[in-house]
mmCIF file of all heavy atoms in Angstrom:
data_model
loop_
_atom_site.group_PDB
_atom_site.id
_atom_site.type_symbol
_atom_site.label_atom_id
_atom_site.label_comp_id
_atom_site.label_asym_id
_atom_site.label_seq_id
_atom_site.Cartn_x
_atom_site.Cartn_y
_atom_site.Cartn_z
ATOM 1 N N THR S 128 129.356 0.741 -122.650
ATOM 2 C CA THR S 128 127.976 0.157 -122.897
ATOM 3 C C THR S 128 127.189 0.903 -123.790
ATOM 4 O O THR S 128 126.056 0.614 -124.039
ATOM 5 C CB THR S 128 127.214 0.084 -121.544
ATOM 6 O OG1 THR S 128 127.190 1.339 -120.932
ATOM 7 C CG2 THR S 128 127.881 -0.837 -120.535
ATOM 8 N N CYS S 129 127.803 1.887 -124.500
ATOM 9 C CA CYS S 129 127.022 2.631 -125.388
ATOM 10 C C CYS S 129 126.673 1.721 -126.648
ATOM 11 O O CYS S 129 127.308 0.732 -126.972
ATOM 12 C CB CYS S 129 127.783 3.975 -126.013
ATOM 13 S SG CYS S 129 129.128 3.560 -127.152
ATOM 14 N N PRO S 130 125.486 2.024 -127.359
ATOM 15 C CA PRO S 130 125.077 1.330 -128.557
ATOM 16 C C PRO S 130 126.082 1.203 -129.579
ATOM 17 O O PRO S 130 126.958 2.076 -129.717
ATOM 18 C CB PRO S 130 123.812 2.085 -129.058
ATOM 19 C CG PRO S 130 123.416 2.919 -127.902
ATOM 20 C CD PRO S 130 124.584 3.159 -127.087
ATOM 21 N N GLU S 131 126.235 0.157 -130.162
ATOM 22 C CA GLU S 131 127.335 -0.116 -131.063
ATOM 23 C C GLU S 131 127.402 0.671 -132.334
ATOM 24 O O GLU S 131 128.412 1.038 -132.898
ATOM 25 C CB GLU S 131 127.376 -1.620 -131.521
ATOM 26 C CG GLU S 131 127.781 -2.520 -130.337
ATOM 27 C CD GLU S 131 127.817 -4.045 -130.595
ATOM 28 O OE1 GLU S 131 127.283 -4.391 -131.739
ATOM 29 O OE2 GLU S 131 128.087 -4.687 -129.699
ATOM 30 N N HIS S 132 126.237 1.167 -132.696
ATOM 31 C CA HIS S 132 126.196 2.073 -133.959
ATOM 32 C C HIS S 132 126.786 3.361 -133.637
ATOM 33 O O HIS S 132 127.430 4.151 -134.358
ATOM 34 C CB HIS S 132 124.775 2.244 -134.456
ATOM 35 C CG HIS S 132 123.878 3.025 -133.637
ATOM 36 N ND1 HIS S 132 123.168 2.411 -132.522
ATOM 37 C CD2 HIS S 132 123.409 4.334 -133.680
ATOM 38 C CE1 HIS S 132 122.442 3.370 -131.961
ATOM 39 N NE2 HIS S 132 122.485 4.446 -132.615
ATOM 40 N N LEU S 133 126.651 3.817 -132.204
ATOM 41 C CA LEU S 133 127.304 5.096 -131.750
ATOM 42 C C LEU S 133 128.805 4.904 -131.636
ATOM 43 O O LEU S 133 129.623 5.772 -131.746
ATOM 44 C CB LEU S 133 126.619 5.524 -130.504
ATOM 45 C CG LEU S 133 125.229 5.966 -130.540
ATOM 46 C CD1 LEU S 133 124.712 6.303 -129.186
ATOM 47 C CD2 LEU S 133 125.028 7.030 -131.594
ATOM 48 N N LEU S 134 129.217 3.669 -131.297
ATOM 49 C CA LEU S 134 130.563 3.362 -131.066
ATOM 50 C C LEU S 134 131.291 3.518 -132.436
ATOM 51 O O LEU S 134 132.438 3.984 -132.494
ATOM 52 C CB LEU S 134 130.731 1.784 -130.639
ATOM 53 C CG LEU S 134 132.152 1.379 -130.225
ATOM 54 C CD1 LEU S 134 132.692 2.083 -129.069
ATOM 55 C CD2 LEU S 134 131.945 -0.170 -129.992
ATOM 56 N N VAL S 135 130.711 3.141 -133.522
ATOM 57 C CA VAL S 135 131.295 3.336 -134.849
ATOM 58 C C VAL S 135 131.495 4.810 -135.151
ATOM 59 O O VAL S 135 132.629 5.198 -135.610
ATOM 60 C CB VAL S 135 130.451 2.672 -136.064
ATOM 61 C CG1 VAL S 135 130.955 2.994 -137.349
ATOM 62 C CG2 VAL S 135 130.199 1.229 -135.759
ATOM 63 N N ARG S 136 130.543 5.567 -134.800
ATOM 64 C CA ARG S 136 130.625 7.016 -135.040
ATOM 65 C C ARG S 136 131.759 7.723 -134.166
ATOM 66 O O ARG S 136 132.548 8.525 -134.494
ATOM 67 C CB ARG S 136 129.326 7.762 -134.761
ATOM 68 C CG ARG S 136 128.352 7.401 -135.903
ATOM 69 C CD ARG S 136 126.933 7.841 -135.612
ATOM 70 N NE ARG S 136 126.835 9.373 -135.372
ATOM 71 C CZ ARG S 136 125.769 9.964 -134.936
ATOM 72 N NH1 ARG S 136 124.621 9.241 -134.677
ATOM 73 N NH2 ARG S 136 125.744 11.277 -134.699
ATOM 74 N N PHE S 137 131.750 7.155 -132.878
ATOM 75 C CA PHE S 137 132.778 7.733 -131.956
ATOM 76 C C PHE S 137 134.200 7.314 -132.433
ATOM 77 O O PHE S 137 135.107 8.221 -132.378
ATOM 78 C CB PHE S 137 132.564 7.070 -130.564
ATOM 79 C CG PHE S 137 133.528 7.653 -129.468
ATOM 80 C CD1 PHE S 137 133.358 9.009 -129.026
ATOM 81 C CD2 PHE S 137 134.489 6.904 -129.059
ATOM 82 C CE1 PHE S 137 134.138 9.529 -128.033
ATOM 83 C CE2 PHE S 137 135.457 7.373 -128.033
ATOM 84 C CZ PHE S 137 135.154 8.725 -127.557
ATOM 85 N N CYS S 138 134.332 6.079 -133.022
ATOM 86 C CA CYS S 138 135.690 5.791 -133.466
ATOM 87 C C CYS S 138 136.144 6.553 -134.687
ATOM 88 O O CYS S 138 137.192 6.949 -134.877
ATOM 89 C CB CYS S 138 135.709 4.276 -133.859
ATOM 90 S SG CYS S 138 135.762 3.195 -132.303
ATOM 91 N N GLY S 139 135.121 6.856 -135.549
ATOM 92 C CA GLY S 139 135.310 7.803 -136.608
ATOM 93 C C GLY S 139 135.815 9.147 -136.231
ATOM 94 O O GLY S 139 136.733 9.743 -136.794
ATOM 95 N N TRP S 140 135.200 9.667 -135.195
ATOM 96 C CA TRP S 140 135.496 10.949 -134.559
ATOM 97 C C TRP S 140 136.973 10.861 -133.975
ATOM 98 O O TRP S 140 137.791 11.726 -134.252
ATOM 99 C CB TRP S 140 134.664 11.290 -133.539
ATOM 100 C CG TRP S 140 134.907 12.596 -132.840
ATOM 101 C CD1 TRP S 140 134.717 13.909 -133.165
ATOM 102 C CD2 TRP S 140 135.543 12.653 -131.476
ATOM 103 N NE1 TRP S 140 135.204 14.687 -132.248
ATOM 104 C CE2 TRP S 140 135.725 14.119 -131.189
ATOM 105 C CE3 TRP S 140 135.922 11.758 -130.537
ATOM 106 C CZ2 TRP S 140 136.199 14.543 -129.999
ATOM 107 C CZ3 TRP S 140 136.468 12.230 -129.376
ATOM 108 C CH2 TRP S 140 136.631 13.510 -129.058
ATOM 109 N N LEU S 141 137.300 9.765 -133.395
ATOM 110 C CA LEU S 141 138.674 9.595 -132.763
ATOM 111 C C LEU S 141 139.752 9.611 -133.870
ATOM 112 O O LEU S 141 140.853 10.157 -133.697
ATOM 113 C CB LEU S 141 138.803 8.183 -132.023
ATOM 114 C CG LEU S 141 138.102 8.163 -130.676
ATOM 115 C CD1 LEU S 141 138.272 6.723 -130.084
ATOM 116 C CD2 LEU S 141 138.683 9.140 -129.641
ATOM 117 N N LEU S 142 139.519 8.954 -135.046
ATOM 118 C CA LEU S 142 140.414 8.903 -136.087
ATOM 119 C C LEU S 142 140.625 10.278 -136.719
ATOM 120 O O LEU S 142 141.786 10.468 -137.348
ATOM 121 C CB LEU S 142 139.974 7.908 -137.185
ATOM 122 C CG LEU S 142 139.818 6.468 -136.860
ATOM 123 C CD1 LEU S 142 139.474 5.572 -137.985
ATOM 124 C CD2 LEU S 142 141.250 5.921 -136.134
ATOM 125 N N ALA S 143 139.664 11.106 -136.624
ATOM 126 C CA ALA S 143 139.855 12.479 -137.171
ATOM 127 C C ALA S 143 140.569 13.418 -136.287
ATOM 128 O O ALA S 143 140.920 14.599 -136.856
ATOM 129 C CB ALA S 143 138.414 13.026 -137.565
ATOM 130 N N LEU S 144 140.893 13.078 -135.097
ATOM 131 C CA LEU S 144 141.522 13.996 -134.128
ATOM 132 C C LEU S 144 142.905 14.316 -134.666
ATOM 133 O O LEU S 144 143.572 13.481 -135.112
ATOM 134 C CB LEU S 144 141.633 13.292 -132.715
ATOM 135 C CG LEU S 144 140.330 13.226 -131.856
ATOM 136 C CD1 LEU S 144 140.630 12.516 -130.573
ATOM 137 C CD2 LEU S 144 139.789 14.669 -131.657
ATOM 138 N N SER S 145 143.263 15.562 -134.329
ATOM 139 C CA SER S 145 144.657 15.826 -134.684
ATOM 140 C C SER S 145 145.160 16.723 -133.540
ATOM 141 O O SER S 145 144.539 17.739 -133.142
ATOM 142 C CB SER S 145 144.695 16.683 -135.963
ATOM 143 O OG SER S 145 145.996 17.137 -136.405
ATOM 144 N N PRO S 146 146.319 16.499 -132.933
ATOM 145 C CA PRO S 146 147.185 15.348 -133.260
ATOM 146 C C PRO S 146 146.639 14.086 -132.946
ATOM 147 O O PRO S 146 145.580 14.025 -132.183
ATOM 148 C CB PRO S 146 148.484 15.731 -132.503
ATOM 149 C CG PRO S 146 148.063 16.534 -131.327
ATOM 150 C CD PRO S 146 146.833 17.266 -131.853
ATOM 151 N N ASP S 147 147.299 12.953 -133.305
ATOM 152 C CA ASP S 147 146.871 11.698 -132.854
ATOM 153 C C ASP S 147 146.795 11.508 -131.392
ATOM 154 O O ASP S 147 147.583 12.119 -130.609
ATOM 155 C CB ASP S 147 147.809 10.532 -133.569
ATOM 156 C CG ASP S 147 147.627 10.516 -135.088
ATOM 157 O OD1 ASP S 147 146.654 11.212 -135.604
ATOM 158 O OD2 ASP S 147 148.503 9.809 -135.654
ATOM 159 N N LEU S 148 146.064 10.496 -130.890
ATOM 160 C CA LEU S 148 146.145 10.251 -129.475
ATOM 161 C C LEU S 148 147.553 9.641 -129.194
ATOM 162 O O LEU S 148 148.201 9.017 -129.922
ATOM 163 C CB LEU S 148 145.045 9.140 -129.215
ATOM 164 C CG LEU S 148 143.634 9.492 -129.417
ATOM 165 C CD1 LEU S 148 142.737 8.128 -129.281
ATOM 166 C CD2 LEU S 148 143.177 10.405 -128.419
ATOM 167 N N SER S 149 147.876 9.837 -127.813
ATOM 168 C CA SER S 149 149.111 9.289 -127.359
ATOM 169 C C SER S 149 148.788 7.747 -127.300
ATOM 170 O O SER S 149 147.723 7.280 -127.226
ATOM 171 C CB SER S 149 149.452 9.880 -125.975
ATOM 172 O OG SER S 149 148.508 9.365 -125.006
ATOM 173 N N TYR S 150 150.054 6.970 -127.194
ATOM 174 C CA TYR S 150 149.832 5.516 -126.963
ATOM 175 C C TYR S 150 149.015 5.156 -125.777
ATOM 176 O O TYR S 150 148.149 4.303 -125.837
ATOM 177 C CB TYR S 150 151.265 4.892 -126.864
ATOM 178 C CG TYR S 150 151.278 3.405 -126.752
ATOM 179 C CD1 TYR S 150 151.600 2.577 -127.839
ATOM 180 C CD2 TYR S 150 151.101 2.904 -125.543
ATOM 181 C CE1 TYR S 150 151.480 1.223 -127.708
ATOM 182 C CE2 TYR S 150 151.080 1.437 -125.369
ATOM 183 C CZ TYR S 150 151.361 0.685 -126.454
ATOM 184 O OH TYR S 150 151.410 -0.725 -126.319
ATOM 185 N N THR S 151 149.282 5.820 -124.596
ATOM 186 C CA THR S 151 148.592 5.567 -123.462
ATOM 187 C C THR S 151 147.118 5.930 -123.498
ATOM 188 O O THR S 151 146.245 5.125 -123.120
ATOM 189 C CB THR S 151 149.213 6.380 -122.219
ATOM 190 O OG1 THR S 151 150.609 6.157 -122.125
ATOM 191 C CG2 THR S 151 148.585 6.064 -120.980
ATOM 192 N N SER S 152 146.702 6.984 -124.097
ATOM 193 C CA SER S 152 145.351 7.256 -124.293
ATOM 194 C C SER S 152 144.696 6.349 -125.270
ATOM 195 O O SER S 152 143.568 5.877 -124.881
ATOM 196 C CB SER S 152 145.236 8.713 -124.900
ATOM 197 O OG SER S 152 145.648 9.690 -123.902
ATOM 198 N N ALA S 153 145.289 5.882 -126.197
ATOM 199 C CA ALA S 153 144.678 4.941 -127.168
ATOM 200 C C ALA S 153 144.521 3.581 -126.456
ATOM 201 O O ALA S 153 143.569 2.801 -126.623
ATOM 202 C CB ALA S 153 145.568 4.714 -128.401
ATOM 203 N N ALA S 154 145.521 3.265 -125.605
ATOM 204 C CA ALA S 154 145.368 1.969 -124.821
ATOM 205 C C ALA S 154 144.232 1.993 -123.829
ATOM 206 O O ALA S 154 143.489 1.099 -123.711
ATOM 207 C CB ALA S 154 146.682 1.585 -124.061
ATOM 208 N N VAL S 155 144.096 3.177 -123.170
ATOM 209 C CA VAL S 155 142.893 3.424 -122.257
ATOM 210 C C VAL S 155 141.617 3.164 -122.983
ATOM 211 O O VAL S 155 140.663 2.493 -122.631
ATOM 212 C CB VAL S 155 142.951 4.693 -121.516
ATOM 213 C CG1 VAL S 155 141.658 5.055 -120.706
ATOM 214 C CG2 VAL S 155 144.156 4.664 -120.562
ATOM 215 N N LEU S 156 141.583 3.855 -124.200
ATOM 216 C CA LEU S 156 140.263 3.804 -124.958
ATOM 217 C C LEU S 156 139.982 2.449 -125.498
ATOM 218 O O LEU S 156 138.909 2.065 -125.586
ATOM 219 C CB LEU S 156 140.448 4.818 -126.078
ATOM 220 C CG LEU S 156 140.210 6.238 -125.610
ATOM 221 C CD1 LEU S 156 140.458 7.203 -126.721
ATOM 222 C CD2 LEU S 156 138.768 6.562 -125.176
ATOM 223 N N ALA S 157 141.061 1.734 -125.941
ATOM 224 C CA ALA S 157 140.883 0.341 -126.442
ATOM 225 C C ALA S 157 140.171 -0.520 -125.340
ATOM 226 O O ALA S 157 139.239 -1.251 -125.600
ATOM 227 C CB ALA S 157 142.211 -0.259 -126.812
ATOM 228 N N GLU S 158 140.767 -0.317 -124.110
ATOM 229 C CA GLU S 158 140.086 -1.081 -123.012
ATOM 230 C C GLU S 158 138.797 -0.716 -122.696
ATOM 231 O O GLU S 158 137.792 -1.495 -122.563
ATOM 232 C CB GLU S 158 141.070 -0.898 -121.807
ATOM 233 C CG GLU S 158 140.478 -1.565 -120.574
ATOM 234 C CD GLU S 158 141.361 -1.510 -119.301
ATOM 235 O OE1 GLU S 158 142.466 -0.939 -119.446
ATOM 236 O OE2 GLU S 158 140.883 -1.985 -118.289
ATOM 237 N N GLN S 159 138.443 0.589 -122.630
ATOM 238 C CA GLN S 159 137.230 1.178 -122.181
ATOM 239 C C GLN S 159 136.123 0.881 -123.259
ATOM 240 O O GLN S 159 134.994 0.627 -123.033
ATOM 241 C CB GLN S 159 137.292 2.603 -122.015
ATOM 242 C CG GLN S 159 138.118 3.063 -120.752
ATOM 243 C CD GLN S 159 137.538 2.622 -119.435
ATOM 244 O OE1 GLN S 159 136.354 2.673 -119.254
ATOM 245 N NE2 GLN S 159 138.384 2.155 -118.474
ATOM 246 N N LEU S 160 136.474 1.019 -124.596
ATOM 247 C CA LEU S 160 135.553 0.879 -125.596
ATOM 248 C C LEU S 160 135.210 -0.586 -125.988
ATOM 249 O O LEU S 160 134.101 -0.880 -126.336
ATOM 250 C CB LEU S 160 136.022 1.559 -126.892
ATOM 251 C CG LEU S 160 136.215 3.072 -126.972
ATOM 252 C CD1 LEU S 160 136.948 3.505 -128.156
ATOM 253 C CD2 LEU S 160 134.825 3.788 -126.810
ATOM 254 N N PHE S 161 136.149 -1.414 -125.942
ATOM 255 C CA PHE S 161 136.004 -2.753 -126.461
ATOM 256 C C PHE S 161 136.157 -3.926 -125.510
ATOM 257 O O PHE S 161 135.632 -5.079 -125.867
ATOM 258 C CB PHE S 161 137.069 -2.972 -127.627
ATOM 259 C CG PHE S 161 136.887 -1.877 -128.731
ATOM 260 C CD1 PHE S 161 137.949 -0.993 -129.008
ATOM 261 C CD2 PHE S 161 135.786 -1.845 -129.512
ATOM 262 C CE1 PHE S 161 137.764 -0.013 -130.049
ATOM 263 C CE2 PHE S 161 135.563 -0.946 -130.462
ATOM 264 C CZ PHE S 161 136.708 0.008 -130.714
ATOM 265 N N LEU S 162 137.000 -3.906 -124.505
ATOM 266 C CA LEU S 162 137.303 -5.074 -123.802
ATOM 267 C C LEU S 162 136.068 -5.855 -123.218
ATOM 268 O O LEU S 162 135.964 -7.006 -123.401
ATOM 269 C CB LEU S 162 138.340 -4.828 -122.605
ATOM 270 C CG LEU S 162 138.997 -5.872 -121.976
ATOM 271 C CD1 LEU S 162 139.642 -6.866 -122.909
ATOM 272 C CD2 LEU S 162 139.936 -5.400 -120.868
ATOM 273 N N ARG S 163 135.301 -5.138 -122.520
ATOM 274 C CA ARG S 163 134.062 -5.787 -121.910
ATOM 275 C C ARG S 163 133.191 -6.373 -123.010
ATOM 276 O O ARG S 163 132.786 -7.533 -122.864
ATOM 277 C CB ARG S 163 133.355 -4.794 -121.127
ATOM 278 C CG ARG S 163 132.036 -5.442 -120.510
ATOM 279 C CD ARG S 163 131.221 -4.493 -119.826
ATOM 280 N NE ARG S 163 131.820 -3.661 -118.695
ATOM 281 C CZ ARG S 163 131.238 -2.744 -118.126
ATOM 282 N NH1 ARG S 163 129.864 -2.401 -118.351
ATOM 283 N NH2 ARG S 163 131.795 -2.026 -117.161
#
């Protein structure tokens, strides 16, 4: 439910993570960030 402009910044931060997220973590985040 976070404001959408913060969502953009959060996704930018996720893309910069190293190493990349695991498939399972990315799936959880896809659901939590976007599904609702």
Side-chain angles (χ1 to χ4, degrees):
T128 57
C129 76
E131 291 178 356
H132 70 280
L133 296 178
L134 188 62
V135 176
R136 290 171 58 188
F137 185 74
C138 287
W140 176 78
L141 285 176
L142 295 187
L144 286 177
S145 183
D147 292 349
L148 295 170
S149 69
Y150 181 96
T151 303
S152 295
V155 168
L156 285 169
E158 179 179 353
Q159 295 291 321
L160 294 172
F161 302 115
L162 189 57
R163 182 188 298 177

